Amino acid sequence: MEKDQRRHRIAPLKTNVPRRMALEVHSHLRRLIISGQIRTGTILSQAELARDLEVSRTPIREAMRMLQEEGLLEISPNQRARVMSIDAEALESLYCRRVLLECLAVRLTVPIMSSDDRKRLRAALDALCTDSCRSNLRNFIQRNSHLHDMMVRHAGQNLIREIRAARETSELYLSLIYASQGKDWWKRPELEHIEIVAAYEAGQSDLAAVRAGQHLAQTAFELLQNFAPDYEPVRLREALKLIGSNTNASAVKD
């Protein structure tokens, strides 16, 4: 195993429900991947995981298949598994989906928010704008997810379910932003979150949707600039036009 692909030993998995073992393993590994504790590009061995988690290979194999279906693992014909690395087109497609779905959900949510909804949204923002989130990616991901849930809470369960699935997959990339931008990585998203919530509080659904779309797209632009600088995100630019954004997306070349 190459040096940059090494991982720390994973703690044993504690479960008292053998018939749910594959689901437990899947959930555990998924959290480790999304939080960045298992980094992109890491090679995962069924034998090593079985030893670390103290389970048999059968639930490991099923859990890895589930992770592959979610796009978090790449498995070759010889069963060599690698945690997903940056695929520029796949990343762009994911964020196009997020931009379009979440902007629709924002437009549906803002007009029918109650005063209590707006207070809860402000509380979610305040919880995110703290030193514990600025210095700990895991805390940031958890609080960020809650804030985005609040932003789309009246969009309907089916749409919310699609949005959450896309967001959870994109959370894998946040560890790359964190690693590539140093200690001040949180400043840009924090400022954008403040602007988005201000639009909610003013009841400006169109502005809130545009700000939310720009916020999501900017994360993708930064990732592409760092990890695929020659890739031109034409589809994402078109998605921004559809939501009424005239942003120039200065994070990437024109």
Side-chain angles (χ1 to χ4, degrees):
M1 182 181 297
E2 298 175 9
K3 185 177 180 180
D4 63 348
Q5 295 172 333
R6 293 185 183 277
R7 62 171 176 80
H8 297 296
R9 185 182 176 92
I10 298 173
L13 181 64
K14 306 296 184 182
T15 179
N16 296 317
V17 190
R19 71 178 183 278
R20 290 181 51 85
M21 187 69 71
L23 294 175
E24 295 283 350
V25 171
H26 164 260
S27 179
H28 186 59
L29 292 177
R30 193 176 192 277
R31 283 194 299 270
L32 293 176
I33 291 171
I34 287 175
S35 69
Q37 291 175 266
I38 299 179
R39 301 192 60 160
T40 61
T42 299
I43 301 297
L44 295 181
S45 159
Q46 290 185 17
E48 289 181 3
L49 288 173
R51 183 191 66 233
D52 288 355
L53 297 177
E54 298 180 359
V55 300
S56 71
R57 290 199 191 187
T58 299
I60 296 290
R61 189 160 47 247
E62 178 61 17
M64 291 175 76
R65 182 191 64 76
M66 295 163 69
L67 291 168
Q68 180 186 29
E69 289 179 353
E70 293 178 312
L72 296 178
L73 281 188
E74 303 165 338
I75 302 180
S76 61
N78 63 3
Q79 298 303 301
R80 179 185 175 92
R82 181 191 298 270
V83 178
M84 182 186 71
S85 55
I86 288 290
D87 178 318
E89 186 172 346
L91 184 149
E92 183 191 24
S93 177
L94 173 63
Y95 274 89
C96 282
R97 188 160 69 253
R98 286 199 65 187
V99 166
L100 296 174
L101 289 176
E102 292 194 41
C103 287
L104 170 61
V106 168
R107 281 197 168 98
L108 293 170
T109 296
V110 173
I112 58 176
M113 288 187 80
S114 66
S115 59
D116 284 343
D117 288 334
R118 288 190 288 273
K119 288 177 183 177
R120 285 192 284 267
L121 182 65
R122 170 58 63 172
L125 173 65
D126 291 343
L128 183 58
C129 298
T130 59
D131 288 341
S132 67
C133 290
R134 294 163 182 160
S135 61
N136 186 304
L137 181 63
R138 197 177 309 175
N139 290 344
F140 176 85
I141 288 175
Q142 181 180 13
R143 296 295 186 180
N144 181 70
S145 181
H146 177 60
L147 176 65
H148 280 262
D149 274 343
M150 295 297 298
M151 287 165 51
V152 301
R153 63 175 301 165
H154 296 306
Q157 288 306 307
N158 288 333
L159 182 55
I160 289 172
R161 189 159 42 245
E162 290 186 53
I163 288 169
R164 282 178 177 165
R167 184 177 67 237
E168 287 173 2
T169 299
S170 69
E171 283 171 355
L172 171 64
Y173 296 115
L174 293 182
S175 62
L176 300 178
I177 288 283
Y178 180 81
S180 66
Q181 296 194 355
K183 64 179 182 179
D184 293 332
W185 63 273
W186 52 269
K187 287 186 175 180
R188 190 269 302 170
E190 184 170 294
L191 176 60
E192 292 172 356
H193 284 141
I194 291 170
E195 292 175 341
I196 292 167
V197 171
Y200 272 78
E201 292 175 334
Q204 296 177 299
S205 57
D206 288 345
L207 179 60
V210 169
R211 289 279 186 263
Q214 291 172 337
H215 166 66
L216 295 169
Q218 192 62 32
T219 297
F221 288 140
E222 289 180 1
L223 285 163
L224 291 168
Q225 178 66 16
N226 281 316
F227 298 100
D230 295 328
Y231 184 83
E232 178 57 38
V234 176
R235 299 170 186 83
L236 191 51
R237 294 185 190 281
E238 290 300 318
L240 286 172
K241 290 179 184 178
L242 285 174
I243 66 166
S245 171
N246 60 2
T247 181
N248 198 32
S250 59
V252 291
K253 60 177 185 166
D254 287 313

